[in-house]
Structure formats: structure tokens, C-alpha cells
Amino acid sequence: MFFIGIGTALLAAAIHFVVEKLAHFKFDLIKHYFDDCAKNNCLYQPALIWMGINLVITVAGASLVTFLQPMAAGSGIPYIKAYLNGVKIPGLLTFRAFVAKTLGVVLSILGGLACGKEGPMAHSGSIIAAGLGRGRINFCGGKSISFYSVFRNDHEIRDFVAGGAASGVSSAFGAPIGGTLFSLEEAASFWNQDLTWRVFFSSMVACFATNFLISAINGDPTKLTDPGLIRFNAFKFDLKFDLIEIPFFIFMAVVGGLSGALFVVMNYKLTVFRKRYLNKNWIKVVEAGLVAVVSAAVAFGLLVGINDCTDKAPFDSHAVTAAVYCTDKKHNSLSTLFLTTPEGCLKALLHDPFESHNPASLVAFVLIFFVLGVWTYGLSVSSGVFIPSLAIGAAWGRLIGIGVAYMMPDNPNLQLDVGKFALIGAASQLGGILRTTISLTVIIVECTDDISFGLPIMIVLMISKWVGDFITTGLYDMNVEVMGIPTLPFESPPLCEDLRASDVMSAPLATFKTKEKVETVYEMLKDETFCGFPVIEDDSLTTGKGKLKGLILRSQLLVLLKKKIFCPEGQVPPRNITIKDFRDFYPVYLKVSEIDLSDEEKSYVIDLKPYYNPSPYTVEKKFSLSRVFNLFRGLGLRHLIVTDEKNVPVGIVTRKDLAKFRVGSKRGLVKIEQLKIQDK
């Protein structure tokens, strides 16, 4: 856990350094052409340069993700959530995914897309955690170097991945407690007390190491003032609130819930359209390039079309500002929002002085950035939705703050407190999109270094979640649903009290005897897709029927066949196999096609008794579905054998049998549908 935190911090500091340096160079170049061409009537030059840079960089990032590892697309949090729920997703935690995710997120931000690097940090931290847990480096050609194998099982790796996801969030926001709670609330499905302190320890290490590294990059390693990639920074005023402001906050929470639900609905429609019509690799790359060009073109159009001049100095002294058509040492206020990274845009909306942005500019920014955010999330690029959501909410929150200040001209403090309304808007928007409450509250409090404002933040997050949930599910849950990943919810499906285990189990059942012919085992593995097989007693008179003796996994049978742990009937079988031999094939298990058997070997007998689990979890066929569901969730099961009154197995329940019951809630109505599960 210590090295997971260190590794995540090193990655976070490297991404931060590269993005900040290259982004500043890019926007400084565009600003130079803006200021020169505004005087010389050649504004087409900065437009073409801006669109050209975005196009080249974004196409490179999209190609990297699309052709190297498609699992690196998006933030990765829905995939990590599904993995921690118990679903194995091929390619999710591989080195290729790590390369595509880390380089891809740098290219996405430099390509001008409306995305952030905070979500992908959770995925990257999970990959680091899984790699350290496996203790092995794989190379091309099937060669590898193994350091240790003690953690090579699903239980240990999932605990490490939970710590990696928390460390990624912690290093991104400088929020170790928030990262731990995010892993608990949004990602992990199985939690215990030991895992809590391990994950928190990893998050603390990641936060401190990121703080030290970024402070060192800034030239003062002992100052330790940059604990995360994105900080909301301390406000110039105390984040205090008055009772009269609570109704405004509640109104903003409702707006955040409604706009968040609209974001999810629009992105859902777009995601379904992409899966049906934009599913070819070259089309995915072209779409990403188109979004990058449109993003630059729209930003250019707003800068040229809205002459919002101000002489107020931006909050960030290093911010790039372009005059465009402004005179008298003024600059266009929209340049502080578009000639910067999404993180810089968010800080400007939170901390810029009251007169920095007029309402017309903010309205245009909200509408444009909202559409770009919806369009960007789901592209075949490495991108996160945290920062765009916060920036959208901060913009309309600042707009409401300006309106409140004009409504109450006798209260001069409201002009100073406009950033407070921007913060409430940001929290409301993010809560309406993601639907998480506790972890987001703690993350925002830790990012602002002011706990006194925790109550309003919690209020708006709760209300925005309620409003959003009334209309649709959260963004991550929607992604999991559209991708068809068989995750198990926390509660059993409603209205299923009359269903029994026999109603949902997979039958007829494929079973083995304690001593079985090698050919029978081999052919069964070729024909069946089950990952677990009940073992029955040898003296059964009826084929496939007999009292239950245990359960053996598909992966175990393949290793036994690969190591040729069988012999002619009547002889003593070999015992030259250890637990290390089984761990060596984790997590990339053997395939039946990799097993070579001669005709003579197929006639041999394999003794399964030393290898099967003699005490698997079982239920009778009259067991209620809700209790079966609770067993799966509470114990983290993958197989549950269903028996009759005589302890004869009659079926088996897997997570796919339970995940096919999908529950939805829209506008207060509950909908339950039974899906068809197919093996591809």
C-alpha cells in the first residue's frame, strides 16, 4: 500500500508538470497571434493554429487509446467500479492500458477537449496497484519476470485496486479522506475494517508524496502547499453563510440536479448512438478530432464575437490573457476561461473578482461548455468528467451570485462572496451528474481548506442527488448499464419475494466425478463456459447424478491438464504441483486451445480429490431469491450450488444469473426487466 501511494504520486506529479508546461506554451502562442492579428486583420491565423494544434494532438491521443487499449477510454471509473463489484474485464489493468491512459489524458487536455485528468488518475492508480500486487512484469513474446506470487488471487488484487483508486483521487484533489470515502462509496463493493485503514494509509502517502513532488517542481520542496493536482485554493474571504442564503442554495441544488440529469440523458442518447453507428476504430478517431476542432472554433468565435473587456487582474498571476479587440490595457475576460486548461478555467470562475465576467459571457460559456462536456465524455480518448462538471456548475453558480448581488445592492459583501455561489453551483452540478454525496462533500471541503462551509455543500449535494435520481441514474451507473456489464446492486431486486433459487439457476448442470477420464474433462471444458463445476461421488448409478462432494474451478482443471497431473487407471497419480503453479497463471488463465493431449493421455484418469473445494456454499432449490442475492453480496461469491433434499446438485447460480434482473427508477416509478445473457 505504501508503494501504491508513492507510485501514484510520481505519476500525478509527472502528468501535472508536463500538462502545465506544454499547455502554457500552447496558449501563449495562440495569445501572441490573437493580439497581433486583431490589429492587422489576420484573425484567421490564430483560429487555424488553434484548430490545427487541437486536431493533431487529439487524433494522436485517440489513436493511442483506440488501437493500443480501448479499455483506457473515458475516466475508467465505471470499469473500476465493475471490477471491484466482481466482474473480470480483460485488458483493464494491463501495462498497455496504463500507457494509453497516462499518455492519452495528457494529449486529451493539450488537445483542448473539455475533460480533466482527475478521473483517469483513479484508473491509473488502480493499474499501479494491480501491477504491484501481481509482482510480475510481462514482456512481449510471453516472457515475464516474477518477483513474488503471494498476492496473486482475486481477493488480494481487488483490495489493492481499491487502494489504488483511492490514492488516485487523493493525489488528484489532495484529499486523502475524500479519496478513501470515494473508494468506499462509489467503487468498492466489499469492505472491511482492515481494508479501511490500508486504503487510508495509501491515500495519505499519495497525498503527501504528491505535495512534496509538486512543491519541489515549483522550486520550494519544504513549503508543501500543493497537495493535489487541482486545488480550489483558499478564498480571499471566509466561506461563511447566512440563513437568508440557504433558500438560494436549495434553488441552486435543484438546478444542479435538473441540469445533471439532462447531462446524463443527453450523454446516454449519444452513447447508444455511438455504439450503433460509430463503432469502427477510424470513425472513433475522426470523431475525437472533430470535437477538438469544434471546441477550438467555438472558443475562437466567442472570443471574437463577445467583446467582454475588463481591467480586473485575474486570480492566477500566470494566467494567459488576450486583448483581442480590447484597448487601454484591458483583456477579454473569456480568454481566462478558454486560453487555459479546464483546471485553470475552474479556478478563474471561483476566484476572479466580481466584475471580471459579465452575465452574457457566462451564459454563453455555460451553454457551449455544457454541450462540449456531453459530447466529449464517451469519446475514444482518456478523459475525466470531474473538472468539466465543476466548471459548468461554477459558471452558472457565479451567474446566480451576480444576480443575487444585484437583487440586494445594500449588502456589499455579496459582491465579494460571488465565488461562494460559484462553489455551490460547482458542487450542485457535480452531484447532479455523479450522484455521490459523502465523498464529494469531503473532497470539496479538503480542496477549499475550509470546513465551516461543509453544511451547505452537503445540503446541495443531497438535494441535487434526490432531484437527479428522480429522473435518471447517475453517469457512472448509466455507463455500466449501457456497456452491459453484469454488476450486482447493493440490494436485491424488489418484487422478487416469490422467486426461488430453482427459478434463476443454470441447469442442466455439468458435473465431474472425483476420478474422471482426461478426455471427459477436456471435452467438457471445450463445450461448457462455466468457470466452476460441482464434483459428485463416484458410485452414482445415474450419469451426472450423485451426492455433492465439492467444487472445482475451470482454471484449476486447466492447470492440472497443462501440468499433466494424471495417470493410467490403477496407478498412483503424480503430485509434483504446488500452489505456486496455480498462481503463475494468474490473472491470464490458460485456454483449452493451449492444452496438448495425445490420444493415449486422453484415456488416462485424473484424480480431483486433492484439488477441489470440499465445502462450497450451497442452498436448497426452495431458497428465496432475495436470500440468495444477500449471500452473493455479503460473501462475494462467484458460484452457489443448488441442491435438492438429498444433497444432489441440480443447478448452479452465478452472478450472471442474478445480474440479469435490472432495476430502474424514473419519475418515481420502478421498472424491473429480465435481460438475456449471452456468451460472446
Side-chain angles (χ1 to χ4, degrees):
M1 285 295 184
F2 174 80
F3 287 110
I4 289 171
I6 294 294
T8 306
L10 288 170
L11 176 65
I15 291 177
H16 174 79
F17 176 77
V18 173
V19 168
E20 291 300 319
K21 293 297 182 182
L22 294 182
H24 193 274
F25 174 79
K26 167 192 170 182
F27 292 120
D28 215 27
L29 177 67
I30 296 173
K31 163 198 163 22
H32 171 73
Y33 277 92
F34 252 123
D35 291 343
D36 282 352
C37 289
K39 302 174 183 177
N40 301 320
N41 295 323
C42 58
L43 281 175
Y44 66 91
Q45 292 184 10
L48 293 177
I49 291 173
W50 199 346
M51 290 187 289
I53 293 175
N54 281 14
L55 176 64
V56 172
I57 295 177
T58 302
V59 166
S63 301
L64 184 68
V65 170
T66 304
F67 296 104
L68 183 62
Q69 182 49 266
M71 285 294 110
S75 67
I77 293 179
Y79 289 117
I80 295 298
K81 182 176 181 179
Y83 176 82
L84 292 176
N85 188 266
V87 182
K88 291 185 178 180
I89 303 177
L92 178 65
L93 301 174
T94 60
F95 181 72
R96 296 172 67 178
F98 179 77
V99 173
K101 176 65 72 173
T102 53
L103 295 181
V105 72
V106 172
L107 295 174
S108 297
I109 296 173
L110 295 178
L113 297 178
C115 63
K117 51 183 178 285
E118 287 65 32
M121 277 303 303
H123 187 187
S124 301
S126 299
I127 298 175
I128 292 173
L132 290 173
R134 291 166 186 160
R136 179 170 56 195
I137 300 176
N138 295 321
F139 299 99
C140 296
K143 297 181 179 180
S144 64
I145 298 177
S146 180
F147 300 98
Y148 49 86
S149 61
V150 66
F151 300 125
R152 287 182 197 162
N153 60 74
D154 286 339
H155 175 76
E156 297 288 357
I157 296 300
R158 281 193 167 84
D159 284 355
F160 283 131
V161 169
S167 298
V169 175
S170 175
S171 62
F173 291 98
I177 302 176
T180 304
L181 291 174
F182 182 84
S183 184
L184 169 62
E185 183 180 10
E186 187 64 27
S189 296
F190 308 103
W191 202 265
N192 56 58
Q193 188 174 7
D194 287 341
L195 184 59
T196 302
W197 76 261
R198 289 176 187 168
V199 170
F200 179 65
F201 172 73
S202 180
S203 299
M204 282 295 299
V205 171
C207 180
F208 177 81
T210 304
N211 197 345
F212 175 79
L213 292 170
I214 295 181
S215 298
I217 291 173
N218 293 335
D220 196 350
T222 61
K223 197 172 182 181
L224 301 181
T225 56
D226 296 285
L229 303 185
I230 175 66
R231 299 289 289 176
F232 299 160
N233 294 72
F235 285 79
K236 295 180 180 179
F237 51 86
D238 292 333
L239 280 174
K240 297 180 180 179
F241 60 97
D242 196 274
L243 186 62
I244 196 175
E245 295 173 331
I246 296 296
F248 292 105
F249 294 163
I250 294 176
F251 169 75
M252 294 175 70
V254 174
V255 173
L258 293 174
S259 60
L262 178 63
F263 188 101
V264 174
V265 170
M266 292 176 63
N267 191 259
Y268 170 77
K269 300 291 185 183
L270 184 59
T271 303
V272 172
F273 178 81
R274 283 178 173 138
K275 287 179 69 67
R276 289 179 179 174
Y277 306 107
L278 308 180
N279 48 19
K280 294 183 178 179
N281 288 341
W282 68 270
I283 296 180
K284 295 178 181 179
V285 175
V286 169
E287 185 194 10
L290 176 63
V291 175
V293 170
V294 171
S295 299
V298 170
F300 173 82
L302 290 179
L303 283 169
V304 174
I306 300 179
N307 197 26
D308 184 11
C309 299
T310 180
D311 57 356
K312 297 294 181 181
F315 164 78
D316 187 357
S317 58
H318 301 290
V320 176
T321 58
V324 192
Y325 294 124
C326 298
T327 57
D328 299 329
K329 297 183 179 181
K330 294 182 180 181
H331 65 271
N332 192 315
S333 66
L334 284 173
S335 64
T336 61
L337 304 182
F338 286 113
L339 297 182
T340 183
T341 60
E343 288 88 347
C345 170
L346 174 62
K347 289 183 179 180
L349 291 168
L350 291 175
H351 299 290
D352 279 356
F354 179 78
E355 298 88 355
S356 296
H357 307 278
N358 68 35
S361 299
L362 292 175
V363 170
F365 176 84
V366 169
L367 296 177
I368 294 300
F369 211 70
F370 186 92
V371 174
L372 291 178
V374 172
W375 196 5
T376 301
Y377 191 78
L379 291 175
S380 185
V381 296
S382 177
S383 62
V385 75
F386 269 92
I387 299 304
S389 303
L390 290 169
I392 294 168
W396 62 255
R398 188 183 183 93
L399 187 64
I400 291 178
I402 293 174
V404 173
Y406 284 136
M407 288 170 56
M408 302 179 180
D410 297 334
N411 190 346
N413 291 329
L414 286 176
Q415 293 191 6
L416 299 175
D417 292 354
V418 68
K420 174 171 62 179
F421 287 88
L423 180 62
I424 290 294
S428 302
Q429 185 70 46
L430 189 60
I433 293 175
L434 299 187
R435 314 291 165 77
T436 52
T437 53
I438 302 174
S439 58
L440 286 185
T441 300
V442 177
I443 287 172
I444 293 174
V445 168
E446 288 182 290
C447 280
T448 54
D449 295 329
D450 196 332
I451 197 172
S452 62
F453 209 56
L455 179 61
I457 293 174
M458 174 57 83
I459 291 174
V460 299
L461 284 172
M462 290 291 293
I463 295 176
S464 63
K465 172 181 169 57
W466 290 337
V467 173
D469 283 342
F470 185 77
I471 301 173
T472 181
T473 60
L475 184 66
Y476 293 153
D477 292 328
M478 180 274 292
N479 273 261
V480 171
E481 178 181 330
V482 172
M483 290 183 288
I485 300 176
T487 58
L488 295 182
F490 287 98
E491 299 291 339
S492 60
L495 310 177
C496 66
E497 290 81 2
D498 295 333
L499 292 177
R500 305 299 174 190
S502 57
D503 297 324
V504 298
M505 68 182 185
S506 296
L509 194 59
T511 61
F512 292 119
K513 298 179 181 179
T514 55
K515 289 185 179 181
E516 196 70 80
K517 287 187 64 175
V518 171
E519 183 178 14
T520 303
V521 175
Y522 181 75
E523 294 298 328
M524 185 78 77
L525 294 177
K526 283 178 58 178
D527 297 337
E528 298 291 343
T529 59
F530 287 111
C531 292
F533 298 90
V535 180
I536 59 176
E537 58 187 8
D538 286 336
D539 56 353
S540 57
L541 299 178
T542 308
T543 304
K545 297 291 184 180
K547 290 187 177 181
L548 180 68
K549 301 294 290 185
L551 176 75
I552 191 164
L553 300 179
R554 182 186 191 88
S555 58
Q556 292 175 288
L557 292 170
L558 289 171
V559 173
L560 293 175
L561 294 179
K562 181 72 173 179
K563 296 293 183 179
K564 300 188 182 301
I565 309 300
F566 44 72
C567 64
E569 189 171 2
Q571 296 186 12
V572 178
R575 291 284 190 269
N576 56 335
I577 191 169
T578 64
I579 188 66
K580 183 178 181 300
D581 294 312
F582 292 98
R583 287 174 175 168
D584 284 343
F585 292 101
Y586 180 87
V588 183
Y589 295 113
L590 287 167
K591 298 179 181 178
V592 183
S593 58
E594 300 175 15
I595 306 297
D596 294 324
L597 297 172
S598 65
D599 292 338
E600 181 182 359
E601 288 174 332
K602 289 183 179 180
S603 65
Y604 289 175
V605 175
I606 183 171
D607 186 4
L608 304 179
K609 190 172 183 179
Y611 310 107
Y612 65 72
N613 175 14
S615 55
Y617 289 98
T618 63
V619 296
E620 286 198 1
K621 56 184 179 181
K622 295 182 180 179
F623 214 70
S624 67
L625 177 60
S626 59
R627 296 181 69 185
V628 169
F629 193 95
N630 292 335
L631 275 176
F632 258 82
R633 289 291 302 164
L635 300 176
L637 301 182
R638 304 193 71 83
H639 310 92
L640 185 63
I641 300 174
V642 182
T643 64
D644 60 12
E645 296 81 358
K646 298 180 180 180
N647 199 33
V648 175
V650 295
I652 191 169
V653 178
T654 66
R655 65 182 300 111
K656 285 184 179 180
D657 298 316
L658 298 181
K660 65 185 178 184
F661 294 98
R662 178 173 292 170
V663 182
S665 177
K666 292 183 179 180
R667 293 177 291 278
L669 300 177
V670 177
K671 180 183 69 171
I672 305 175
E673 56 182 336
Q674 183 172 340
L675 307 179
K676 183 179 180 181
I677 305 295
Q678 291 180 323
D679 292 307
K680 293 186 178 180

